[in-house]
Amino acid sequence: MCGIVGYIGKNQAAPFLLEGLSKLEYRGYDSAGIAVYDGSHIRVEKSVGRLASLRDKIEGDMPQGAVGIGHTRWATHGRPSDRNAHPHTDCSGDFVIVHNGIIENYLSLKEELIAKGHEFQSETDTEVVAHLMEEVYNGDFEAAVREVLGRIEGSYALVFLSRKDPDRIICTKQDNPLVIGLGDGENFIASDIPAIIARTRRTYILNDGEFAVVKKDSVWVTNREGEPVTKKVFEVNWNAEAAEKGGYEHFMLKEIHEQPKAVRDTVSPRLSKDGKSIIMNELNWNREFLDSIKKIFIVACGTAYNAGLVGKYYIEKLARVPVEIDIASEFRYRDPIIDEDTLTIVLSQSGETSDTLAALKESKRQGAKTLAITNVVGSSIAREADQVIYTWAGPEIAVASTKAYTTQLIIMFMLSLYMSGIRGTQSQERISELLEALKKVPAQVSETLEDVEPIKTFAKQYGFNEDVFYIGRSLDYDVSLEGALKLKEISYIHAEAYAAGELKHGTLALIIEGVPVIALATQKNVYEKTLSNIKEVKARDAVVIGIAAEGDNELEKYVDHVIKVPETDELLIPVLTVVPLQLLAYYAAITRGCDVDKPRNLAKSVTVE
Ligand code: M6R
């Protein structure tokens, strides 16, 4: 997803712009560019490919000046190329723009501007903004930006630089994140905190419709109507190192290994001192509130959706409230039945996924109560929802989500237990049993991480197969979906998960000699049935890697290899079984020489539709 940076102050802008963009590389991008005001002109330099190409291009001839903006682009309108890379300029070069989002009415604007004689250099939607600036400017930079904002439709984080007013940068946002870092005699702009954390921890997080005029010694924020907004300084309390690799070869591996801590940090603040009940200070729900909810929707994308599947199981099993689950991009267009008796729970690591945000807004519009479960404080989704529960996983940088998934499972589990406590749907003994199991999970996640050698071996043995299948029933099926997603996104192996009972309805035709099948068998009520399905694939000469709990001495009789995870309650075992699947995906990607943290075509945070 596009990344934005900006600098105005007492130092050279370009070094910060390049450093900031490098910290945003995790968002995914295909080209990069910077623009710096050199005292008389704005010099724009951009290049398709990695940031290194841009660095090479300007090495020895770095743009000089103390005000500038920069961008990493993730192509939507127009293929990745130098010309389509941002920043974009008007015909005169006086106005320079970077943008994250989509200008939906750009085609009609472009036609209008071309008719007026503007010459376009790129195929992007963004470039219309620069030409519109040129068209409407009559000596007042801010007024021109406001006028342009009145003409464009869509989603955006936009940053404007003008040769005519080089003592300020103007920025604004709608549905895309933008943060201002407050320095001493200098200020910073970025899509996300990792870009500025090495320079300052004091930030303003812009809300939709806010408009900031950033000078080196001041930041002036107004709302859409031009009325002043008093912003609260948000102090970033995590370390710069938390956003770095900390000795691991990849962010993904680091984040897999951070899971014991992430799970502990997510659980501990929500357990009462005596450890006998769940505290959800974020919610303070009561019986009356829960009785008013007749239906719950869980809505999310990708890994968060996979976590939502487990969440649905937990809520229905423990709290006995009906749950529907939807992929956010489907939910928003399928006209779901939503009313005041509905609770919509959106799950999103980043809190910025465009479809999830839209689903949340649509639910609110139709009167539903809304709850966000997210990892990013102050994110768009966190701010939009009525209530928020944070997964305290820490920054997740790798495109492949790992610790966000396990902490989302933990939150869904704790939320379900909390709801069941209020609704009286589980006995006190069962609640105590589950809480005891929950307390052990962080240490058990550590245990699953202790012996990775067999997983490395399997990855080497099977890493060059073209297809891998994952099977399981019930919660094992939900985890299979996540295992398959991890493998395909980072190793590019075709990986599919199937409900084991569905095999006979078509997929079995794909099972031939030597095809690896990862079979999860941890759920007692369907254990025998899963074994039968394993026998079906073995009978077609598949190579089966079974995933089971420690005490299981049966599965190894029917499979080629077994990976065991510590024993826990079968409701919590997904938090453990997913770990070897994450590792398997990681080492398969390494075996195949893939760029683990930056998989092709993917972005960390999908802030466009
Ligand atoms: O930030 P979000 O949780 O809303 O992101 C949703 C998906 O884009 C994300 O989980 C994606 O599927 C990951 N790359 C999977 O590893």
Side-chain angles (χ1 to χ4, degrees):
M1 201 51 43
C2 304
I4 285 177
V5 289
Y7 176 86
I8 184 158
K10 54 193 176 188
N11 296 311
Q12 287 293 317
F16 166 74
L17 299 177
L18 293 169
E19 166 196 315
L21 289 178
S22 74
K23 304 293 178 198
L24 296 179
E25 283 188 297
Y26 70 88
R27 294 167 72 90
Y29 69 104
D30 47 54
S31 50
I34 60 171
V36 176
Y37 175 70
D38 66 7
S40 56
H41 291 93
I42 300 173
R43 180 174 155 200
V44 178
E45 292 291 350
K46 44 198 194 174
S47 174
V48 70
R50 294 286 179 215
L51 206 49
S53 318
L54 177 66
R55 284 185 198 275
D56 287 350
K57 193 170 176 183
I58 56 181
E59 204 191 333
D61 182 23
M62 191 84 106
Q64 300 294 305
V67 50
I69 59 181
H71 190 269
T72 43
R73 173 172 186 256
W74 190 69
T76 56
H77 295 63
R79 64 188 174 82
S81 68
D82 282 2
R83 282 187 336 137
N84 288 335
H86 296 216
H88 289 289
T89 64
D90 66 318
C91 303
S92 64
D94 285 351
F95 299 101
V96 181
I97 315 293
V98 291
H99 168 224
N100 176 15
I102 292 179
I103 309 295
E104 285 166 3
N105 58 338
Y106 85 102
L107 276 176
S108 58
L109 291 171
K110 192 168 176 175
E111 272 171 27
E112 175 192 322
L113 289 159
I114 289 172
K116 287 183 173 156
H118 290 263
E119 283 179 22
F120 278 75
Q121 306 301 322
S122 76
E123 303 153 273
T124 65
D125 50 337
T126 305
E127 196 183 339
V128 295
V129 179
H131 292 279
L132 268 180
M133 282 297 293
E134 182 180 17
E135 194 60 32
V136 303
Y137 181 80
N138 63 6
D140 185 336
F141 185 22
E142 289 171 42
V145 174
R146 284 190 193 281
E147 196 171 335
V148 166
L149 295 179
R151 298 283 319 273
I152 60 174
E153 289 162 19
S155 64
Y156 48 78
L158 273 166
V159 182
F160 299 78
L161 187 59
S162 164
R163 189 175 72 88
K164 296 169 193 259
D165 297 84
D167 67 332
R168 69 198 64 190
I169 298 176
I170 296 180
C171 57
T172 184
K173 66 150 274 182
Q174 180 64 44
D175 296 331
N176 283 275
L178 210 54
V179 175
I180 298 175
L182 308 170
D184 178 15
E186 58 185 351
N187 288 309
F188 310 87
I189 298 166
S191 300
D192 202 355
I193 289 167
I196 54 177
I197 194 174
R199 304 296 185 110
T200 180
R201 291 168 173 279
R202 302 178 69 243
T203 64
Y204 286 158
I205 296 175
L206 284 195
N207 290 316
D208 280 350
E210 286 179 349
F211 181 103
V213 179
V214 184
K215 297 186 179 179
K216 67 177 186 173
D217 295 315
S218 68
V219 177
W220 175 245
V221 182
T222 51
N223 63 14
R224 252 186 210 110
E225 289 69 43
E227 295 153 349
V229 173
T230 310
K231 295 294 289 180
K232 216 171 130 206
V233 173
F234 175 71
E235 291 270 355
V236 180
N237 60 8
W238 38 271
N239 295 328
E241 308 84 70
E244 303 289 343
K245 283 189 216 152
Y248 288 92
E249 202 181 333
H250 295 98
F251 280 115
M252 182 184 177
L253 191 60
K254 172 180 176 250
E255 288 159 10
I256 289 173
H257 282 270
E258 281 172 348
Q259 289 179 111
K261 178 180 182 322
V263 169
R264 188 172 297 110
D265 289 351
T266 305
V267 171
S268 341
R270 297 178 173 108
L271 277 184
S272 62
K273 274 210 177 92
D274 61 6
K276 295 201 165 115
S277 55
I278 305 267
I279 307 167
M280 286 264 172
N281 285 332
E282 306 96 326
L283 303 182
N284 282 324
W285 287 351
N286 55 26
R287 183 72 199 241
E288 195 190 349
F289 175 80
L290 283 185
D291 283 349
S292 74
I293 292 168
K294 303 289 179 259
K295 180 170 67 180
I296 296 178
F297 280 114
I298 296 180
V299 188
C301 301
T303 285
Y305 172 81
N306 292 341
L309 288 167
V310 177
K312 169 183 159 73
Y313 188 93
Y314 287 162
I315 294 177
E316 291 191 335
K317 185 90 179 168
L318 294 173
R320 310 301 293 161
V321 181
V323 181
E324 276 189 51
I325 173 149
D326 271 83
I327 290 166
S329 54
E330 294 292 322
F331 180 84
R332 60 186 294 195
Y333 296 115
R334 80 165 171 88
D335 196 14
I337 300 167
I338 304 170
D339 57 24
E340 305 74 47
D341 301 334
T342 305
L343 169 68
T344 298
I345 303 178
V346 291
L347 280 165
S348 173
Q349 185 286 130
S350 62
E352 300 296 345
T353 299
S354 160
D355 284 318
T356 310
L357 180 59
L360 169 62
K361 287 182 176 170
E362 181 56 21
S363 285
K364 269 181 89 174
R365 197 185 63 76
Q366 295 198 40
K369 301 160 176 89
T370 57
L371 168 64
I373 297 173
T374 181
N375 193 38
V376 179
V377 177
S379 58
S380 304
I381 284 174
R383 280 177 290 129
E384 187 70 31
D386 300 334
Q387 294 182 299
V388 187
I389 305 178
Y390 288 109
T391 48
W392 298 121
E396 191 182 69
I397 307 295
V399 168
S401 191
T402 52
K403 60 181 180 168
Y405 176 80
T406 39
T407 53
Q408 283 162 354
L409 296 194
I410 292 292
I411 289 295
M412 291 308 309
F413 180 80
M414 295 186 90
L415 176 68
S416 309
L417 262 188
Y418 171 74
M419 289 169 69
S420 78
I422 298 172
R423 284 174 53 82
T425 44
Q426 299 298 316
S427 67
Q428 197 45 55
E429 279 124 303
R430 179 66 177 137
I431 292 183
S432 307
E433 195 176 280
L434 288 170
L435 284 175
E436 284 314 305
L438 177 64
K439 284 182 227 162
K440 293 186 191 138
V441 170
Q444 291 179 321
V445 177
S446 288
E447 265 182 70
T448 59
L449 288 164
E450 271 164 20
D451 189 14
V452 296
E453 286 312 314
I455 297 176
K456 283 188 187 170
T457 309
F458 300 147
K460 281 195 188 122
Q461 253 172 306
Y462 306 114
F464 287 101
N465 279 66
E466 288 308 311
D467 308 286
V468 173
F469 295 94
Y470 290 71
I471 59 170
R473 286 172 177 253
S474 181
L475 285 174
D476 285 336
Y477 170 52
D478 298 340
V479 178
S480 299
L481 286 163
E482 177 56 11
L485 175 59
K486 285 291 88 80
L487 188 69
K488 75 180 97 172
E489 73 179 322
I490 58 167
S491 73
Y492 318 142
I493 296 173
H494 168 237
E496 293 298 338
Y498 291 95
E502 266 295 289
L503 278 175
K504 284 195 278 295
H505 301 285
T507 308
L508 209 49
L510 297 175
I511 306 297
I512 51 169
E513 188 182 348
V515 166
V517 175
I518 320 287
L520 285 79
T522 69
Q523 300 295 304
K524 290 193 191 82
N525 66 331
V526 286
Y527 184 79
E528 293 300 330
K529 291 182 189 305
T530 309
L531 274 192
S532 302
N533 300 128
I534 291 171
K535 287 176 196 163
E536 281 161 14
V537 295
K538 273 308 300 168
R540 273 89 188 164
D541 294 324
V543 180
V544 181
I545 302 175
I547 313 272
E550 271 306 340
D552 181 338
N553 298 317
E554 192 62 12
L555 189 65
E556 53 218 52
K557 297 180 191 156
Y558 305 100
V559 299
D560 298 276
H561 317 278
V562 191
I563 298 172
K564 296 235 177 123
V565 299
E567 260 180 297
T568 179
D569 191 282
E570 61 183 2
L571 285 182
L572 281 165
I573 210 158
V575 184
L576 306 181
T577 48
V578 74
V579 176
L581 302 187
Q582 296 167 342
L583 288 166
L584 191 65
Y586 174 79
Y587 287 111
I590 297 292
T591 302
R592 294 165 72 98
C594 300
D595 189 347
V596 174
D597 284 336
K598 295 182 206 99
R600 71 181 176 213
N601 305 338
L602 297 181
K604 178 64 181 162
S605 180
V606 183
T607 55
V608 291
E609 225 189 315

